[in-house]
C-alpha cells in the first residue's frame, strides 16, 4: 500500500509560480514511476508530467512544456512539480500518482495509487 499526500497548492496571479510536493509512504519509492495529473471543473483528469524511478527520464504534456518541471528526491520519498509562468487555464486540482510497476506514461491506468489532490487557482 502506498499513501500519497500532496501539498503546496494555492492561489497565485497569472505569471506567478508554485511548487507542489507529494510525499509518499513505502520503502521502495525509488522503484516507482511518479506522475502529476490535473482536473479542471467538469473536465477529465489529464496528464501533466511524469518521472521514472531514478529520475533520469521525464515526460510532459505539451501544454506545460517549458513552464513546469517535475523532479524527485528519493531520499525524502518526495516528488515535486515546479510550476512557472502560470496561466488561468492551469487552474485545477492537481493529483500525484504512483506506478509501482514503474510505468512512465501519460495514461491514467498506468498509475495504481493516487493522492487526494491539491487545488491550484491562477487568477488573471
Amino acid at each position: 500500500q502506498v499513501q500519497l499526500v500532496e501539498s503546496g497548492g494555492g492561489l497565485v496571479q497569472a505569471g506567478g509560480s508554485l511548487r507542489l510536493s507529494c510525499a509518499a509512504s513505502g520503502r521502495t519509492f525509488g522503484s516507482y514511476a511518479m506522475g502529476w495529473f490535473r482536473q479542471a471543473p467538469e473536465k477529465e483528469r489529464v496528464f501533466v508530467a511524469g518521472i521514472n524511478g531514478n529520475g533520469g527520464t521525464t515526460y510532459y504534456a505539451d501544454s506545460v512544456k517549458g513552464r513546469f518541471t517535475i523532479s524527485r528526491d528519493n531520499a525524502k520519498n518526495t516528488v515535486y512539480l515546479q510550476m512557472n509562468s502560470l496561466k488561468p487555464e492551469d487552474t485545477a486540482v492537481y493529483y500525484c500518482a504512483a506506478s509501482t510497476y514503474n510505468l512512465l506514461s501519460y495514461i491514467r491506468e498506468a498509475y495504481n495509487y493516487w493522492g487526494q489532490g491539491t487545488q491550484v487557482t491562477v487568477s488573471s
Side-chain angles (χ1 to χ4, degrees):
Q1 191 78 3
V2 177
Q3 293 184 326
L4 304 173
V5 179
E6 302 98 334
S7 61
L11 173 64
V12 64
Q13 288 189 332
S17 298
L18 281 175
R19 188 175 83 154
L20 305 183
S21 299
C22 173
S25 65
R27 301 177 185 176
T28 55
F29 176 74
S31 67
Y32 308 157
M34 298 296 295
W36 286 97
F37 288 72
R38 67 187 181 187
Q39 186 167 16
E42 300 183 1
K43 292 191 176 181
E44 291 190 353
R45 192 174 300 187
V46 297
F47 174 80
V48 174
I51 189 167
N52 71 338
N54 65 15
T57 302
T58 56
Y59 187 31
Y60 296 92
D62 287 344
S63 59
V64 306
K65 264 181 201 173
R67 300 189 299 123
F68 291 10
T69 302
I70 189 170
S71 61
R72 66 191 297 160
D73 184 339
N74 287 347
K76 295 183 178 179
N77 277 24
T78 302
V79 64
Y80 304 97
L81 185 68
Q82 177 66 45
M83 305 186 294
N84 298 329
S85 302
L86 282 161
K87 305 175 181 179
E89 51 263 43
D90 295 317
T91 295
V93 177
Y94 282 70
Y95 296 90
C96 173
S99 170
T100 57
Y101 308 110
N102 200 24
L103 294 175
L104 177 55
S105 174
Y106 63 89
I107 298 173
R108 288 171 55 182
E109 288 76 12
Y111 299 87
N112 49 339
Y113 292 96
W114 293 82
Q116 293 300 306
T118 186
Q119 176 70 47
V120 171
T121 303
V122 184
S123 63
S124 57

